[in-house]
C-alpha cells in the first residue's frame, strides 16, 4: 500500500522541520514548500540538515500567496493531509512589516481554503494559529475566550482563525486551527527572546562584564516544547470530531524567571548581567499570556509533558554542543 502523504506549507521553520521528522518516522511521504529554494542553490534547508532529514523530504518551490500555484501543488501531489505553518512569525517584526505579515498569514489561509473548496479537497487541513489572538490573559485562555489581538500578527492570526471556522461550517472542509502558545526548540530562530537570552548568557559566562540588554522582564508566557507540540498538530488534524483547540502547557512563567533559570544553570548570578533597556519596551506589550490545556486533554488525550527547566537545559546543551 502506498504511504500516506503530507504537504507542509512553511516547512523550513522550527515547526515545519520537527513535523517533517515526526511524519517521516511514521513513514509518511513529506512534501514541503519554502521560498528559500529560489535563492539556495544547494536546495538544503538548515533545520532539516540539523535533523538529518534534508534528503528525505521533497522540497518544492511554490509561491503560496498565489492560489494557482497552491492548486497545482495539491493536484500534483494529492496529499492526505496539509499543514499550513507558513507565516512571518515574529510579533515584533509585524509592527515593522505589517503588510508582509498579513499577506503571509491571511492570503495564504484564504488561498488554501478557496483552492480546497474549489477542488472538493477531501483531506485534512491544519492551520497554525496563535495565542496572540487573545491579547492579555488574566486567566488561562480557553478556545471561547474573547479575542483581542494587539499586533498586526495577532490580527492576521485572528482573521485566519475565523476563515478556517467559516470554511469548516459553511463548506464542510475538514479544517482546524491549533491556537498555539509559545513553544521552543534549538531550531527556534535567534530573533526570538528565548534564544537571545541563552546566547547572551553564554557570552556572559565567557566575559564576566557582558550584559544582556532586554526589555520588560515582568511579562509572563506559557512556554512549551515544540517537538511535542507538533504531535498535537497531528492528533488534531486526524480526529473525526474536528474542533479548534488550544495547544499549551497551562503554566504562566515570567520572563525574569526564565532568565534566572538560564543563568543559574550556567552558575551565574543573573543580577550581575542584566540591563533592562527601555528601548526594547513595546507599547501594548502583552503582560501575561497562558492557555487552558483542559479541552485538548479531554477531547484528544493530548497533554504537554516537558517542563520548562528541561526545555531550558536542552536549549543550553544544544548551543554548547554547536559551539564545540
Ligand atoms: P518559523 O518562523 O520558524 O517558520 C515560519 C515558516 O513560514 C518558514 O518555514 C518560512 O518559510 C515561512 N515564511 C516566513 N515568512 C513568510 C512569508 N512572508 N510568506 C510565506 N512564508 C513565510 O515559525 P515556527 O515554525 O516557529 O511557527 C510555525 C507556525 O506556528 C507559524 O505560523 C507561527 O506563526 C505559529 N506559531 C508559532 C509559535 C511558536 O512559539 N513557535 C507560537 C504561536 C504560533 P520560508 O522562508 O522557507 O519560505
Amino acid at each position: 500500500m502506498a504511504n500516506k502523504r503530507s504537504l507542509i506549507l512553511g516547512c523550513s521553520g522550527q515547526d515545519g522541520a520537527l513535523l517533517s521528522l515526526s511524519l517521516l518516522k511514521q513513514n509518511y511521504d513529506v512534501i514541503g514548500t519554502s521560498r528559500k529554494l529560489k535563492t539556495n542553490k544547494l536546495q538544503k534547508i538548515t533545520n532539516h540538515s540539523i535533523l538529518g532529514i534534508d534528503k528525505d523530504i521533497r522540497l518544492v518551490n511554490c509561491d503560496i500567496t498565489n492560489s494557482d500555484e497552491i492548486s497545482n501543488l495539491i493536484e500534483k501531489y494529492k496529499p492526505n493531509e496539509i499543514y499550513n505553518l507558513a507565516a512571518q512569525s515574529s510579533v515584533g517584526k509585524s509592527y515593522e512589516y505589517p503588510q508582509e505579515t498579513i499577506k503571509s498569514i491571511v492570503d495564504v489561509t484564504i488561498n488554501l481554503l478557496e483552492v480546497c473548496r474549489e477542488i472538493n479537497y477531501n483531506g485534512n487541513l491544519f492551520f497554525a494559529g496563535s495565542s496572540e489572538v487573545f491579547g492579555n490573559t488574566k486567566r488561562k485562555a480557553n478556545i471561547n475566550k474573547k479575542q483581542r489581538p494587539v499586533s498586526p500578527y495577532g490580527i492576521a492570526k485572528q482573521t485566519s482563525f475565523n476563515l478556517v471556522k467559516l470554511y469548516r461550517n459553511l463548506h464542510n472542509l475538514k479544517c482546524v486551527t491549533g491556537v498555539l502558545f509559545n513553544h521552543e526548540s534549538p531550531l527556534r530562530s535567534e530573533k526570538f527572546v528565548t534564544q537571545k537570552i541563552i546566547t547572551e548568557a553564554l557570552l556572559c559566562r565567557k566575559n564576566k562584564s557582558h550584559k544582556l540588554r532586554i526589555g520588560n522582564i515582568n511579562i509572563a508566557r506559557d512556554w512549551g516544547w515544540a517537538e511535542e507540540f507538533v504531535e498535537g498538530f497531528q492528533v488534531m488534524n486526524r480526529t473525526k470530531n474536528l474542533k479548534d483547540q488550544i495547544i499549551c502547557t497551562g503554566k504562566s512563567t515570567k520572563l525574569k524567571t526564565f532568565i534566572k533559570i538560564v543563568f543559574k544553570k550556567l552558575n551565574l548570578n543573573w543580577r550581575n548581567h542584566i540591563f533592562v533597556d527601555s528601548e526594547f519596551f513595546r507599547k501594548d506589550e502583552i503582560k501575561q499570556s497562558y492557555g487552558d490545556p483542559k479541552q485538548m486533554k479531554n477531547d484528544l488525550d493530548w497533554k504537554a509533558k516537558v517542563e520548562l527547566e528541561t526545555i531550558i537545559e536542552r536549549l543550553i546543551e544544544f548551543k554548547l554542543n554547536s559551539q564545540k
Side-chain angles (χ1 to χ4, degrees):
M1 204 171 72
N3 290 347
K4 286 207 169 172
R5 180 173 286 165
S6 292
L7 169 66
I8 306 176
L9 307 188
C11 85
S12 69
Q14 166 187 270
D15 292 0
L18 291 170
L19 177 62
S20 301
L21 177 65
S22 165
L23 291 164
L24 286 167
K25 282 185 187 161
Q26 299 163 67
N27 237 1
Y28 270 71
D29 184 15
V30 181
I31 316 289
T33 69
S34 168
R35 298 161 309 158
K36 293 196 180 78
L37 286 181
K38 281 195 176 145
T39 48
N40 190 336
K41 286 189 193 116
L42 288 172
Q43 305 218 334
K44 255 190 179 180
I45 300 292
T46 319
N47 283 339
H48 296 145
S49 311
I50 292 171
L51 297 177
I53 55 168
D54 47 308
K55 294 190 179 66
D56 302 325
I57 78 158
R58 265 190 279 182
L59 282 175
V60 291
N61 202 349
C62 176
D63 175 5
I64 52 179
T65 59
N66 177 317
S67 22
D68 287 340
E69 292 201 22
I70 293 189
S71 181
N72 291 339
L73 196 64
I74 298 177
E75 296 280 21
K76 180 171 177 193
Y77 291 105
K78 302 191 174 22
N80 302 86
E81 49 185 39
I82 301 177
Y83 295 86
N84 176 27
L85 311 180
Q88 186 300 101
S89 68
S90 152
V91 177
K93 287 216 176 340
S94 81
Y95 293 98
E96 279 173 66
Y97 308 107
Q99 288 142 309
E100 186 200 336
T101 305
I102 304 278
K103 203 171 168 203
S104 72
I105 297 171
V106 180
D107 286 15
V108 176
T109 300
I110 189 64
N111 284 344
L112 181 54
L113 290 169
E114 253 310 274
V115 164
C116 289
R117 183 187 68 78
E118 275 169 11
I119 64 171
N120 286 321
Y121 178 67
N122 191 34
N124 291 61
L125 294 141
F126 174 90
F127 288 79
S130 167
S131 56
E132 289 286 320
V133 296
F134 296 125
N136 272 306
T137 63
K138 282 195 185 133
R139 284 176 288 278
K140 291 179 183 179
N142 65 35
I143 201 72
N144 301 316
K145 181 181 159 45
K146 194 170 167 52
Q147 300 192 355
R148 290 196 181 86
V150 294
S151 63
Y153 172 82
I155 289 169
K157 288 290 186 184
Q158 180 185 36
T159 306
S160 170
F161 177 88
N162 287 330
L163 285 168
V164 171
K165 202 173 186 171
L166 185 80
Y167 273 66
R168 187 172 65 237
N169 294 335
L170 203 60
H171 302 301
N172 293 319
L173 271 187
K174 294 194 262 177
C175 51
V176 284
T177 300
V179 179
L180 315 177
F181 282 70
N182 292 46
H183 46 284
E184 312 297 313
S185 81
L187 306 185
R188 193 99 149 113
S189 121
E190 285 290 325
K191 68 188 172 202
F192 293 96
V193 70
T194 43
Q195 289 292 345
K196 171 178 165 173
I197 291 167
I198 288 164
T199 302
E200 295 278 316
L202 288 170
L203 285 174
C204 293
R205 199 167 72 150
K206 271 195 193 144
N207 172 359
K208 299 288 180 246
S209 62
H210 188 75
K211 298 267 187 235
L212 161 64
R213 284 175 68 223
I214 195 137
N216 186 354
I217 57 173
N218 287 313
I219 59 157
R221 294 290 181 269
D222 178 335
W223 280 291
W225 181 238
E227 212 172 306
E228 59 180 1
F229 275 40
V230 303
E231 302 299 327
F233 301 179
Q234 296 168 65
V235 173
M236 273 188 71
N237 210 11
R238 291 174 194 159
T239 183
K240 277 215 169 80
N241 184 14
L242 291 168
K243 267 191 200 173
D244 300 322
Q245 296 280 359
I246 300 278
I247 305 193
C248 66
T249 72
K251 292 182 186 137
S252 168
T253 307
K254 280 195 174 179
L255 190 61
K256 192 192 323 190
T257 307
F258 187 102
I259 293 170
K260 275 189 200 171
I261 300 173
V262 172
F263 279 79
K264 195 166 172 221
K265 297 226 175 272
L266 296 172
N267 295 320
L268 296 168
N269 180 349
W270 70 283
R271 287 182 193 282
N272 298 337
H273 295 283
I274 199 109
F275 176 63
V276 175
D277 191 338
S278 59
E279 200 189 300
F280 294 121
F281 277 58
R282 209 184 282 154
K283 201 178 161 214
D284 260 347
E285 175 114 68
I286 294 175
K287 289 186 187 68
Q288 173 167 259
S289 172
Y290 73 132
D292 187 346
K294 224 184 293 159
Q295 187 184 304
M296 191 70 184
K297 171 72 183 137
N298 290 345
D299 291 348
L300 300 169
D301 200 24
W302 183 92
K303 181 174 180 268
K305 296 191 188 82
V306 185
E307 299 287 339
L308 186 59
E309 287 248 357
T310 309
I311 294 174
I312 291 175
E313 273 165 21
R314 290 177 183 174
L315 297 180
I316 294 175
E317 195 186 327
F318 181 87
K319 209 141 256 167
L320 281 172
N321 285 338
S322 61
Q323 287 176 358
K324 275 180 192 161

